[in-house]
Amino acid sequence: MNRQRSLARSGNIENLLKSGTKYLSSLEETIIQNIDACIDLAELLTTSLGPNGMNKMIINRLSKLIITNDSSTILKELEVVHPAATMILEAAQMQEKEIGDGTNFVIVFAGEILKQAQSLILSGIHPVEIIDGYNKAGKEALKYMDELVVKTVEDVRNEEDVASAISASIASKQFGYEDFLSSLVAKACIAICPNNEKNFIVDNIRVVKIIGGSIYDSKIIKGFVTNRTPKGSIRKIENAKVVCYTGGVEASNTETGSNVLIESAKELKNYTKGEENLMEKKIKKLAEMGINVVVSGHNISEIAAHFLEKYGILALKLPSKFEMLRVCRTVRALPLSTFVIPSEKEIGTCGSVRVELIGGTKITIFEQSKKNKSKLATIIVRAATKNVADDIERAIDDGVNSYRALCKDGRLLAGGGAFEIEMSRHIQKFGEKSPGMDQYAIKKFAEGLEVVPRNLALNAGMRATELISNLYSSHEEGKKNSGVDVVNEGICDMVKKNVFDLYQTRYWSMRLALNVAITILRVDQIIMSKRAQSGIAPPPQVSRDVD
């Protein structure tokens, strides 16, 4: 009976599946191959970690050139097809949605702990024991994070505290300009922060890039900026009353089709004159209500433009519905679908609407006065080239997302690898107290945390092994805030240097990296359809000595 069962089990499972389906179940074909793919992805981004991270030059399928060290942008342009690597990409995307920063840490840390797990698997330890150890280490790490908080930002409207908190996030993209940019982002965010700071909306901070000039020429406009210019000669309106039409400013069409019979030139002239009189009557009514700015989402007819100019009304066409909504949000106006006379509630106000020439580019600015708080702020970025301007925009985006996370939780951790080294020490001690085979995985988890300070040192051209040893010695002496000083090539107190990591960023990145690593370690069989096989590399050939 036992022999019959063994014979039944020895059948090839591919016989049960559709023709062309591939079934992988050996250690080398499943777990090791998946881990190798994740390690390759992590090594791609390892050199982009930290303020001295190297840029990647990407030419996508649209032949667009992208030069950046922003991991989120790099991952969006990569067409990864390996299923295990795709899982890590999804974890990084979740980090981007949740926090808006820390995607590089998710990829690099997940790849490192999988690399550590690979060495344990090849040593003969079962993946289940590694998973148990990682789960214990992860729970202990998230629990111990509360004790490593070095500072809490109580007032998110304090420009100095906010700038120091988000400086490290911006420095990882624009090292050397972090002080200027963090101050710029802090001012913009504080200017539009609602009464309940937890309701802060990232989309209310806009970026307009104008090529030319220096980065220090960048400035904040407490309002909306567009690169479209008004129709007509009116270029500036103070204390503006604004009405917004999503449709066109032109004579309305009838709802039903009709024919008009004109028998003489006089009738034609009177017909045209009647249309002009009707248009003038409407625009005159707008002027009598004090309206001096009209924004249209569609066409502004020549007749309408003539009378708008006559009555001193600035006319601007914005075809983008998103820009129209932002204008409405800035001036607090209600958008109207057709060209009608608005009520008082539907009219918005703005301190100044004007056209400015910056670096050869004409822009129209809707700026609120000091009395009226704007719901929108725009950062005008100046840079020498488009690629530099794009990278500055990404740095600003990270800073704004960090401010949003700061509004939810103001706790800060020591940056520059100080948090990771102190956490690694604690997890190693925790592993020594743990019985069973789990302790090996717990200690490997602690070693995985060294990936941040090690690569910060390597990317800065420092001796990583020596620096890691010095960091451990410093932490053993009680200097828990000692981290990697990439400027002076040594170690220093990160709190005194104002180098912080947001608690929320590290909490979610560690949690997501651990979860995706455990999910990959749980895979012991792979079943691929014929179509899926085209994008996956063949399993590696592993040679083993036979006794």
Side-chain angles (χ1 to χ4, degrees):
M1 181 65 71
N2 291 335
R3 183 182 178 187
Q4 290 176 353
R5 288 180 179 175
S6 63
L7 289 173
R9 285 195 296 269
S10 64
N12 192 347
I13 197 172
E14 292 184 8
N15 295 331
L16 304 176
L17 305 174
K18 190 176 179 179
S19 176
T21 302
K22 196 169 186 178
Y23 173 74
L24 306 174
S25 61
S26 67
L27 181 68
E28 292 80 10
E29 291 177 329
T30 55
I31 297 179
I32 300 300
Q33 183 188 5
N34 286 341
I35 290 176
D36 285 340
C38 296
I39 292 172
D40 291 340
L41 180 62
E43 288 179 350
L44 175 69
L45 297 176
T46 296
T47 56
S48 296
L49 186 67
N52 292 104
M54 302 297 288
N55 289 336
K56 304 290 184 286
M57 181 181 289
I58 303 171
I59 303 172
N60 62 15
R61 55 186 175 183
L62 301 176
S63 300
K64 181 182 179 182
L65 175 65
I66 300 169
I67 301 175
T68 182
N69 67 346
D70 180 43
S71 57
S72 178
T73 305
I74 295 169
L75 295 175
K76 286 177 184 176
E77 297 299 332
L78 293 180
E79 297 180 359
V80 177
V81 295
H82 195 284
T86 303
M87 290 170 65
I88 290 191
L89 285 180
E90 290 173 353
Q93 290 168 2
M94 184 60 66
Q95 173 74 9
E96 181 71 16
K97 290 179 181 178
E98 187 67 33
I99 302 296
D101 190 22
T103 52
N104 200 324
F105 181 86
V106 174
I107 302 286
V108 171
F109 182 57
E112 184 66 19
I113 57 178
L114 283 171
K115 185 177 181 180
Q116 300 293 339
Q118 185 182 51
S119 65
L120 293 176
I121 291 171
L122 295 177
S123 299
I125 298 177
H126 197 277
V128 172
E129 293 172 333
I130 299 172
I131 291 168
D132 289 342
Y134 277 4
N135 273 324
K136 290 179 181 179
K139 289 178 181 179
E140 182 63 24
L142 296 178
K143 180 181 176 182
Y144 187 61
M145 280 182 69
D146 293 339
E147 299 181 27
L148 297 181
V149 174
V150 295
K151 183 180 178 181
T152 302
V153 177
E154 301 290 348
D155 183 11
V156 293
R157 291 175 175 82
N158 185 307
E159 184 184 327
E160 186 178 349
D161 288 347
V162 170
S164 64
I166 67 176
S167 178
S169 176
I170 294 175
S172 63
K173 307 292 184 301
Q174 290 292 322
F175 186 50
Y177 299 111
E178 65 273 12
D179 293 336
F180 173 74
L181 289 176
S182 59
S183 177
L184 201 69
V185 172
K187 289 177 182 177
C189 293
I190 292 169
I192 65 159
C193 185
N195 294 330
N196 184 358
E197 60 270 9
K198 293 184 179 179
N199 294 331
F200 178 81
I201 301 173
V202 172
D203 192 53
N204 285 344
I205 302 290
R206 309 304 303 170
V207 175
V208 172
K209 296 168 286 186
I210 298 178
I211 306 304
S214 165
I215 187 174
Y216 294 107
D217 296 328
S218 303
K219 61 180 181 178
I220 302 169
I221 298 295
K222 295 179 181 178
F224 174 74
V225 177
T226 179
N227 57 2
R228 292 188 170 269
T229 55
K231 191 172 185 178
S233 61
I234 302 172
R235 288 290 183 266
K236 186 175 182 181
I237 298 290
E238 297 291 340
N239 299 320
K241 293 185 74 174
V242 186
V243 61
C244 299
Y245 298 105
T246 57
V249 179
E250 54 190 355
S252 57
N253 298 322
T254 58
E255 294 183 0
T256 58
S258 59
N259 296 322
V260 179
L261 180 61
I262 298 175
E263 296 181 344
S264 65
K266 184 178 180 181
E267 289 181 0
L268 177 61
K269 184 177 180 180
N270 290 337
Y271 180 82
T272 307
K273 192 68 177 177
E275 186 178 355
E276 291 178 4
N277 291 338
L278 184 61
M279 179 63 70
E280 183 178 11
K281 185 179 178 181
K282 281 187 176 182
I283 293 175
K284 185 178 180 181
K285 180 64 177 177
L286 293 178
E288 289 173 352
M289 295 175 68
I291 295 170
N292 45 21
V293 176
V294 170
V295 182
S296 173
H298 286 283
N299 186 42
I300 300 175
S301 68
E302 294 297 328
I303 297 174
H306 166 73
F307 288 114
L308 288 168
E309 185 82 11
K310 178 180 177 181
Y311 289 98
I313 299 175
L314 184 147
L316 179 66
K317 179 183 175 182
L318 288 178
S320 170
K321 64 179 181 180
F322 300 106
E323 288 191 337
M324 176 65 72
L325 291 174
R326 289 175 190 130
V327 169
C328 293
R329 200 183 308 163
T330 301
V331 303
R332 293 181 174 86
L334 294 176
L336 302 173
S337 58
T338 57
F339 183 43
V340 295
I341 304 300
S343 64
E344 287 296 331
K345 293 181 180 179
E346 294 167 337
I347 301 172
T349 58
C350 188
S352 173
V353 180
R354 64 187 185 274
V355 176
E356 285 190 7
L357 181 65
I358 300 179
T361 303
K362 288 184 179 180
I363 58 173
T364 303
I365 299 173
F366 289 77
E367 187 172 20
Q368 284 289 8
S369 60
K370 294 181 180 179
K371 296 179 181 178
N372 296 330
K373 183 178 180 180
S374 176
K375 291 185 177 180
L376 205 75
T378 303
I379 299 176
I380 298 177
V381 171
R382 305 297 309 281
T385 64
K386 187 178 181 299
N387 283 321
V388 174
D390 289 340
D391 220 29
I392 294 171
E393 183 183 13
R394 296 182 193 107
I396 290 173
D397 183 61
D398 283 352
V400 174
N401 279 288
S402 296
Y403 182 80
R404 181 187 63 173
L406 202 65
C407 289
K408 296 178 181 179
D409 191 339
R411 290 177 291 179
L412 302 174
L413 305 167
F419 161 75
E420 286 79 11
I421 289 293
E422 185 60 30
M423 181 64 75
S424 177
R425 287 180 62 249
H426 177 76
I427 299 300
Q428 284 177 2
K429 293 177 182 178
F430 174 73
E432 292 172 357
K433 299 176 183 177
S434 301
M437 301 294 289
D438 295 347
Q439 63 177 299
Y440 294 104
I442 294 172
K443 290 181 179 179
K444 287 294 184 181
F445 182 92
E447 287 182 33
L449 287 165
E450 296 176 4
V451 69
V452 173
R454 181 185 300 113
N455 284 288
L456 286 176
L458 287 173
N459 293 340
M462 302 162 65
R463 296 179 180 178
T465 305
E466 181 182 344
L467 185 131
I468 293 293
S469 177
N470 293 338
L471 278 176
Y472 273 117
S473 300
S474 180
H475 281 250
E476 288 290 345
E477 295 172 1
K479 300 176 182 177
K480 294 185 177 181
N481 299 328
S482 295
V484 182
D485 184 357
V486 296
V487 177
N488 301 314
E489 297 190 359
I491 61 176
C492 67
D493 191 313
M494 293 290 105
V495 176
K496 292 181 180 178
K497 285 277 188 178
N498 283 331
V499 179
F500 301 104
D501 286 329
L502 270 63
Y503 181 95
Q504 284 278 300
T505 303
R506 277 294 175 263
Y507 177 86
W508 282 103
S509 56
M510 285 187 66
R511 186 174 175 179
L512 289 169
L514 178 61
N515 287 344
V516 72
I518 288 174
T519 303
I520 292 169
L521 288 174
R522 285 190 183 277
V523 176
D524 69 336
Q525 298 178 7
I526 299 175
I527 303 170
M528 291 185 294
S529 66
K530 191 173 183 179
R531 182 179 296 178
Q533 294 174 31
S534 59
I536 300 177
Q541 300 296 325
V542 179
S543 61
R544 294 183 180 275
D545 295 333
V546 180
D547 295 334

